[in-house]
Amino acid sequence: MERIAAIVLSAGKGNRMNSQVHKQYMELAGKPVIYYALQAFSESAVDEIVLVVGAGEVEFCQKEIVEKYHFTKVTHIVEGGKERYHSVYEGLKVCTDADYVMIHDGARPFVSQEVITSAMEDVKKSGANIAAVPVKDTIKQVDETGMVVDTPRRDRLWSVQTPQSFSRKLILSAYENMLKQENSAITDDAMVVEQYGGSNIHVIPGDYCNIKITTPEDLLIAEAFVKKYIKNEKSLLT
């Protein structure tokens, strides 16, 4: 039986939130933001969850997140590193029994079961996929002086989300190759595979509600989503 692990990243400091509290621990409808992603993967068919946290936060997350909310699928809580890609690598190292891994930003609380299931089913065939949605706005490419140099076709542009799912062997090998060079230009896991894994990436449909909470404005939007779901008496995760 092939096993799938979810690596949920909760090591970011969230500097753009202008808050002393890291964004993943801010309250959203009475629960920390990270709760919602962990709940989503707990309710899915993944076999285990690896939670990657900031330095010195392992004990806090064990007691105040994992034990408090009974996330029994969390098998490891590990400290992340300086950059996001260091944190992902720390997570990859401990899910040794997994054949596939799903990497998800803990600051995306509204990942749906539909997206998770689609990613899980697809990765067994494609070996590498990302959730994404078509962009709604016209995108301009500009040079260093702020002048427009190109307007890419909008129908070819997609806004990338998480989860991003891979064969563990593929993503681990790609990360090991990348870390030999410490490429600070890396912005997501698919980019690591594209440049250091020699594999194509399949795009699966994401969800416009699967927002990432990065700024105070994003938190306001998330609160509006929560109120909408509560008003309609719907689950946040279905």
Side-chain angles (χ1 to χ4, degrees):
M1 179 70 71
E2 293 179 316
R3 290 178 58 84
I4 300 181
I7 298 174
V8 179
L9 303 173
S10 186
K13 295 181 179 179
N15 294 328
R16 282 175 284 181
M17 289 299 295
N18 299 319
S19 171
Q20 295 292 326
V21 180
H22 293 180
K23 60 185 177 184
Q24 57 270 27
Y25 306 129
M26 288 183 171
E27 280 202 358
L28 181 60
K31 294 182 173 66
V33 168
I34 188 63
Y35 162 87
Y36 297 96
L38 291 173
Q39 181 69 12
F41 284 101
S42 293
E43 293 183 352
S44 76
V46 300
D47 296 288
E48 66 173 316
I49 300 169
V50 174
L51 178 60
V52 184
V53 302
E57 296 177 352
V58 171
E59 184 177 355
F60 168 82
C61 288
Q62 178 67 43
K63 292 181 178 180
E64 299 299 324
I65 306 293
V66 175
E67 293 179 7
K68 181 176 181 178
Y69 297 108
H70 310 292
F71 290 132
T72 57
K73 282 190 178 182
V74 175
T75 57
H76 298 84
I77 304 176
V78 298
E79 286 191 5
K82 181 180 178 181
E83 302 292 343
R84 182 188 185 278
Y85 54 82
H86 293 125
S87 296
V88 173
Y89 185 62
E90 292 303 315
L92 288 170
K93 289 193 295 184
V94 300
C95 52
T96 55
D97 293 332
D99 299 287
Y100 301 95
V101 294
M102 309 179 72
I103 304 168
H104 184 70
D105 292 325
R108 291 186 185 271
F110 301 113
V111 59
S112 69
Q113 292 299 319
E114 182 179 8
V115 170
I116 293 173
T117 300
S118 295
M120 290 176 63
E121 292 175 350
D122 178 86
V123 74
K124 294 178 180 180
K125 297 176 289 185
S126 67
N129 69 49
I130 55 175
V133 291
V135 301
K136 297 179 179 180
D137 301 318
T138 296
I139 305 297
K140 298 289 185 180
Q141 181 181 348
V142 301
D143 63 19
E144 62 276 5
T145 68
M147 298 298 292
V148 173
V149 295
D150 190 26
T151 304
R153 287 178 49 180
R154 190 168 60 183
D155 62 345
R156 299 289 180 88
L157 299 174
W158 289 64
S159 180
V160 177
Q161 303 176 339
T162 64
Q164 300 189 1
S165 308
F166 310 91
S167 155
R168 181 178 178 273
K169 289 183 179 179
L170 170 64
I171 189 70
L172 183 61
S173 174
Y175 260 94
E176 288 173 343
N177 291 336
M178 185 273 290
L179 287 169
K180 294 175 184 176
Q181 302 178 31
E182 288 286 328
N183 187 347
S184 61
I186 293 297
T187 55
D188 73 345
D189 307 296
M191 190 174 178
V192 178
V193 171
E194 291 163 19
Q195 296 189 12
Y196 300 95
S199 178
N200 293 325
I201 310 293
H202 188 224
V203 173
I204 65 164
D207 187 334
Y208 285 108
C209 289
N210 187 20
I211 63 170
K212 185 176 182 181
I213 298 177
T214 304
T215 66
E217 293 79 12
D218 298 328
L219 192 59
L220 291 174
I221 294 170
E223 289 171 349
F225 283 172
V226 171
K227 290 177 182 178
K228 173 185 175 182
Y229 281 109
I230 291 175
K231 182 178 179 180
N232 293 336
E233 296 182 343
K234 293 181 179 180
S235 168
L236 285 167
L237 304 169
T238 58

